[in-house]
Amino acid sequence: MWIVNWFKSTLEQLGLVNKKAKIVFLGLDDAGKTTLLLRLKDNVMKQMDPTQQPYSEELTMGKITFKTWDLGGHEAARKTWRNYVSDVDGIIYLVDSSNVKRFEESRIELQGILEMPELEKVPIVILGNKIDKGGAVPENELREALGVEPRNEWNKGARPIEVFMCSVAKSKGYA
């Protein structure tokens, strides 16, 4: 519940409690975006084909109803992200924490999101998914690979961004 609580707290600060909010699930292909969306919606785990086109669901968590978009993470889909993020209230960015070979590619995509002026105040949750798989890195290594510093007393005013490690498949770390 701590991710939901953090996200809810951030949305409360932005005045979005008891309202509808729009969030997008972003990240490279095979990071777990669709799996997470299905877990949050119906608590089901099933093997999915890669997302070929934007997929939308409505989720209710506490007093907030979220319109969610799973935009796909293959290279062609990433070109459409900008079309969906201009009016979002939050971003969930998933990274396969066991696929070190793709960290640089993921960092570049995340950096593109962070550089968008219209997203300057949008809270971002980075989920280091697949911690149950061999080769998964710890949070500090994922932060370093993505260029995301932990918030501390020196950067309290920085963009609301947090990193959490999880396993969507095992229902750990995001409940």
Side-chain angles (χ1 to χ4, degrees):
M1 289 303 285
W2 44 273
I3 291 175
V4 173
N5 289 338
W6 177 85
F7 213 69
K8 183 179 175 188
S9 169
T10 302
L11 290 172
E12 283 174 350
Q13 292 173 7
L14 297 173
L16 295 172
V17 175
N18 297 325
K19 295 185 179 182
K20 291 191 175 231
K22 180 179 172 186
I23 58 174
V24 292
F25 289 67
L26 302 176
L28 302 183
D29 50 300
D30 198 36
K33 298 174 298 298
T34 304
T35 305
L36 176 61
L37 182 56
L38 292 173
R39 281 284 201 190
L40 292 172
K41 181 178 183 288
D42 297 322
N43 198 28
V44 296
M45 175 69 187
K46 61 181 173 178
Q47 191 69 19
M48 300 296 295
D49 291 330
T51 304
Q52 297 300 313
Q53 52 189 316
Y55 171 71
S56 179
E57 283 288 351
E58 195 166 278
L59 302 172
T60 300
M61 294 181 195
K63 297 179 181 180
I64 304 171
T65 299
F66 295 98
K67 171 126 183 164
T68 63
W69 286 94
D70 173 0
L71 300 181
H74 54 286
E75 196 169 343
R78 287 182 241 152
K79 294 176 183 174
T80 69
W81 287 359
R82 186 175 279 282
N83 300 334
Y84 289 85
V85 300
S86 62
D87 64 343
V88 299
D89 301 300
I91 295 173
I92 298 177
Y93 189 86
L94 278 86
V95 179
D96 179 344
S97 67
S98 70
N99 193 346
V100 177
K101 293 178 183 174
R102 295 193 75 192
F103 283 179
E104 178 63 14
E105 183 181 5
S106 192
R107 185 193 64 74
I108 290 168
E109 295 298 337
L110 177 61
Q111 192 61 43
I113 294 164
L114 295 173
E115 290 173 356
M116 295 174 69
E118 62 269 32
L119 299 177
E120 185 175 62
K121 303 233 185 266
V122 173
I124 298 176
V125 171
I126 299 172
L127 295 179
N129 190 22
K130 303 186 183 183
I131 59 170
D132 55 306
K133 293 182 82 175
V137 301
E139 180 182 326
N140 63 325
E141 287 184 37
L142 183 62
R143 281 181 177 279
E144 185 175 323
L146 297 177
V148 177
E149 293 183 29
R151 289 177 60 166
N152 58 40
E153 64 183 77
W154 306 112
N155 65 356
K156 282 182 183 172
R159 160 197 309 275
I161 184 169
E162 287 293 339
V163 176
F164 300 100
M165 304 306 283
C166 70
S167 170
V168 174
K170 302 285 184 187
S171 294
K172 294 183 179 178
Y174 68 91

